[in-house]
Amino acid sequence: MALGHLMASRYSQSLVVHLDEVASSHEDGDLSSQRRKSETASSSHGNATASTTTSLAYLPQNKVLGAFEGCAPTGPSDNGLVSKWRPKDRRKTGCVALVLCLNIGVDPPDVIKISPCAIMECWIDPFSMAPQKALETIGKTLSIQYTRWQPKQAHYKYQLDPTVEEVKKLCNTCRRAAKSERVLFHYNGHGVPKPTANGEIWLFNRSYTQYIPLPIRDLDSWLKTPSIYVFDCSAAGMIINAFNELNDWGGASGSSRDCILLAACKAHETLPQSADFPADVFTSCLTTPIKMALTWFCKRSLLRESLDYSLIDKIPGRQNDRKTLLGELNWIFTAVTDTIAWNVLPHDLFQKLFRQDLLVASLFRNFLLAERIMRAANCSPISYPMLPPTHLHHMWDAWDMAAEICLSQLPALIEDPNAEFLPSPFFTEQLTAFEVWLDHGSEHKKPPEQLPIVLQVLLSQGHRFRALFLLGRFLDMGPWAVDLALSVGIFPCVLKLLRTTTPELRPILVFIWTKILALDKSCQVDLVKDGGHTYFIRFLDSIEAYPEQRAMAAFVLAVIVDGHRRGQEACIEAGLIHVCLKHLQGSTPSDAQADPLFLQWLCLCMGKLWEDFTKAQIKGLRADAPAIYAPLLSEPQPEVRACAVFALGTLLDIGGDSCRDGAGVGGDEECDDDEKIKAEISIVRSLFSVVSDGSPLVRAEVAVALSRFAFGHNKHLKSIAAAYWKPQSNSLINSLPSLAHINSSSSGYGSSNQYMRHANIVSSQIGSLLRVSNDNPSVVRDGRVSTSSPLANSGIMHGSPVSDDSSQHSDSGILNDCVSNGVVNHSRSKPLDNAMYSQCVLAMCTLAKDPSPHIASLGRRVLSIIGIEQVVAKPLKSSSGVQHGEPTTASPTLLAGLARSSSWFEMNGGHLPLTIRTPPVSPPRPSYLAGMRRVYSLEFRPHVLNSPETGLADPLLGAGGSSGASEHSLLPQSTIYNWSCGYFSKPLFTASDSDEILARREERNEFAF
């Protein structure tokens, strides 16, 4: 079932429930608080190319295998595009300085007032009480109005009709209190002359007999940065100009200053004096926007004759309670102003002004209202940074309609406090507009302007499910859509929603987080810090969810633990290993839970959990993870087999031989645990069964896994390889079959598989096993080897890289002629027997001869870890007329894709060089015995291991002074995880999904009608 069908069915089933659901005020309050504290994500449209729409159904094998060779896997990233939505520098306003120069009762000499004239300051008539008392009341009221926008987080200090010395002391005090945080300086100059052209504002002397100028340069030196200035006075634009000249903000020096300015009017303008406005109309817009907007609207609408303006002060409710009339008006106003700013401003500027600082964001939302109202009075507020005009934006019409609907209920609500308040249809209509855009929009069209409204709707439980469903459809359109959603500030809301327990929200929340993490891996830190990983573990363990949805939860958890140690530890504590292994162990082909995508991501999640994390590896081994993963190597889907190999490979410890040799010298006892050794044997044997898997996806992961094993056991494997390359006597050669039998029987493990027995036969005996018919159903099924056949157990299959003629002369001679070599023997028993190491070398050589250039390269890198620097291509079998000494030419296909080993005689005859770097051994003795094909080293020299003249094949095997971390980084890296992550970054909704959604919408409309 495709994801669209799942989501659409859940949407239709629970729509009625959500429409009738009573919202929880406690939950809404938490979300609102979270958003106000975390309004910090914005910016920049993504330019990523839209992906082709695909179904959630599992990808066909032929597409997978064809795409793997040429793919450039890219998983979730935390660089480039994805970093732009996060704010570069979060700020908080730590102190607010209010300076009021009103001089009530005395008009400035340069101001000629009209009659009647605006007199209200902070909605208080200064002439209704004694001047000094009025001044103090206005100052306290202004402080309270600012507190509404940032309560309990800033210090508020004010000076009334101050002198220059008092303002200096106030500024220095605020800067010390704020430290590195922002300081807000609010200046009301309604009782003093206009600012001068030199950038001076006016204050008083101590006796109030003179106006004293204060240069902006001095004010700036006292407040420093970061800071924000609000100038409510006539000709306030003079101050903006003076700041521009002072700091040269047009040049490079100004870019480092964090100063924001808001001015009531331009340099040549005077504040409105109409009695329809308060005297401080600019301050009223900034600090009491709802009251100012409704007062201005009522005087311009049809309600001006029927509505008593005094009722505006009696609007019931609280601004932070969206279930009340006042709260809904404030909610709609925030959505409207956010939408205008996001659609008009450049996204970098939107991030700086609307997502970095809570108080700054509130002031700039309200500044948009001030521009709309004051422009109607021929006064143009200005700011730095400069904003484009917004007073004519069509979203203001939506605000006017919502305000009219709410105000029309006001008289009835005041008369009858028990009257029911009818919510505005604003958000429902905006979600419908967003849904229409989803039906017809694309990356190449204008982005949906309702995206900020969707963010606001997530704060309300009544609209939340529909908003999440539509948001999921939008995120599915591609990485560009995810980046847009993150830039508008969706992240803190969906993070907070992980604390909800509503069952209907779980599938869509998992889908949304899948899309977010497919773009930006850095979100793993936020999820772990907020405890969000437990949400996905519970969902993964739920049997009600569909396998596709649980696969997404496994993907989210895989990203959480990917390279994040705190995430790995948190998931272990939450029991992720038990949950994943339980579902892997219980999955059968007839089980509905055994979905290939689900199995694939369970394997990847576990592999990432215990990758390079010893604690998780030990827990996985104790939970018998190797035995649980072994059956997955027989799954028909190559992706599942490859991911199972990845999980098994990451279980192998790459701590190095120093860990294994620590027995007797106080080493870590975990490294010498017999159970761990047996588990490693089980893992390696499982890997042997898929060395010649028909899928290059699987063989590549086998090569990576064997490289980890070779790194952890490199001393023993290098000794085995060195002993093999050393020529032996006839008696040793003749005894190889019996030695192979001895090793197989004396290994001490009764469960040794067929691969061990067959792999220990010399090359002439292997050749007879290579002839397999294509029409043998017991051997080849589903394009791969049956694990029950002898060929699967021996690691050799028809059509595999070792099934051609040259494989009859392969490196199987490696296997056991090293058993009696003194170089291998150590003073203590090794954790694994020699036959196991011999099989590993054979498997590595098999991979180094793979027809895929990529896998052959990986195989050669694995061989380099054990000291074999190069395995070159063997010439093709020549015709009867070609002499052994004559060079032969391999086919272009083989030379391009194979790296075959060859005999010493053919090497010299064909002039094909081979370099083997090994630990010091005795000088070689040539042996040209027929029937034994060896690769002879041309550079055996009795130098010490770390001699600079004898560089080993790989730098990680060289000087012992290199750090462990740098050595590990040289190992071949798996690509299956990043390659699999690309699946979730593509659209998962299909065209049929969209048709079904439209059909369900028509059914709902008919039902409603």
Side-chain angles (χ1 to χ4, degrees), residues 365-578:
R365 288 193 196 100
N366 302 341
F367 178 81
L368 301 183
L369 174 68
E371 183 187 16
R372 184 193 190 201
I373 292 178
M374 296 183 70
R375 277 184 178 267
N378 298 318
C379 188
S380 302
I382 58 175
S383 66
Y384 181 86
M386 189 70 69
L387 304 185
T390 60
H391 61 289
L392 298 178
H393 197 277
H394 64 87
M395 284 300 298
W396 286 120
D397 297 331
W399 160 252
D400 290 342
M401 180 177 180
E404 186 170 3
I405 292 175
C406 290
L407 287 176
S408 62
Q409 305 179 55
L410 184 56
L413 292 175
I414 294 178
E415 290 178 6
D416 183 8
N418 297 323
E420 184 179 358
F421 162 63
L422 298 178
S424 169
F426 172 82
F427 290 105
T428 302
E429 294 170 352
Q430 294 299 319
L431 286 179
T432 301
F434 183 54
E435 191 172 4
V436 171
W437 186 96
L438 291 175
D439 294 337
H440 305 283
S442 69
E443 177 185 6
H444 306 291
K445 295 183 179 180
K446 183 180 178 181
E449 65 179 19
Q450 296 84 14
L451 205 53
I453 298 177
V454 176
L455 166 64
Q456 294 293 326
V457 171
L458 291 180
L459 304 176
S460 171
Q461 192 172 4
H463 302 282
R464 186 174 296 157
F465 183 81
R466 185 186 181 194
L468 285 173
F469 180 77
L470 297 178
L471 177 62
R473 286 185 58 192
F474 178 70
L475 299 181
D476 192 53
M477 300 182 76
W480 64 273
V482 180
D483 182 62
L484 278 181
L486 291 174
S487 71
V488 82
I490 219 80
F491 181 79
C493 290
V494 293
L495 181 63
K496 186 70 174 180
L497 284 174
L498 295 180
R499 299 183 183 181
T500 62
T501 58
T502 308
E504 291 82 1
L505 299 183
R506 292 174 185 171
I508 189 61
L509 274 176
V510 170
F511 177 78
I512 288 173
W513 274 105
T514 297
K515 287 298 180 179
I516 292 175
L517 290 174
L519 175 73
D520 191 350
K521 171 186 172 182
S522 69
C523 298
Q524 62 183 186
V525 178
D526 305 88
L527 280 171
V528 175
K529 183 179 179 181
D530 211 55
H533 61 284
T534 58
Y535 185 91
F536 298 100
I537 294 177
R538 289 194 301 269
F539 186 86
L540 182 66
D541 198 28
S542 63
I543 59 176
E544 296 84 5
Y546 291 97
E548 296 93 333
Q549 298 169 342
R550 297 166 70 192
M552 296 179 189
F555 163 77
V556 171
L557 291 167
V559 177
I560 288 175
V561 300
D562 181 19
H564 185 212
R565 182 52 52 86
R566 183 66 191 93
Q568 291 173 318
E569 294 173 349
C571 288
I572 287 179
E573 295 172 0
L576 179 59
I577 292 180
H578 170 73

